[in-house]
Amino acid sequence: MTVLLVALGAAVGAPSRYLLDRAVQTRHDSVFPWGTLSVNVVGCFVLGMVTAMPVPSALAALLGTGFCGALTTYSTFSYETLRLLERRAWLLAGLNAGISLVAGLGAAYVGIALGQAL
């Protein structure tokens, strides 16, 4: 049953990633990967909340592993950072890595704090 919940969460998370990424990226005329940064920060926030709240393990599997696992994307973050380096956009590559780390950790922290308060 848990595997089905993870798959269901992923079936919602993956299209959500695509749609949010495209919605954000099309609003920026830049090579900086704003869409990927956005989905990863949102995923960190949601996962922080889910892990801090007293939810049943089935719901944690659905939202945490399934939805957040498919919503967030370390591979795309890595690929886009490497592409920036290949373009010799050193500053943008460094900013992408730094902002992703700081914003992701910050979003997870806020999600945990909010999840504990609920």
Side-chain angles (χ1 to χ4, degrees):
M1 182 59 149
T2 302
V3 171
L4 293 176
L5 291 170
V6 170
L8 179 61
V12 174
S16 298
R17 173 178 59 191
Y18 175 77
L19 294 171
L20 180 57
D21 177 272
R22 293 294 87 213
V24 171
Q25 199 62 42
T26 57
R27 287 173 172 65
H28 295 87
D29 186 27
S30 169
V31 297
F32 190 84
W34 291 107
T36 300
L37 175 64
S38 299
V39 297
N40 286 339
V41 170
V42 168
C44 289
F45 173 77
V46 173
L47 187 58
M49 278 189 56
V50 168
T51 59
M53 296 174 65
V55 298
S57 62
L59 186 57
L62 175 77
L63 296 176
T65 305
F67 179 76
C68 289
L71 177 68
T72 60
T73 172
Y74 188 77
S75 57
T76 302
F77 155 74
S78 299
Y79 170 76
E80 290 172 343
T81 303
L82 286 173
R83 295 289 295 164
L84 290 170
L85 290 171
E86 289 175 352
R87 290 179 162 193
R88 297 193 184 324
W90 314 112
L91 179 61
L92 291 178
L95 286 172
N96 187 42
I99 291 170
S100 293
L101 179 63
V102 171
L105 289 172
Y109 178 81
V110 171
I112 290 168
L114 185 60
Q116 289 173 341
L118 295 176

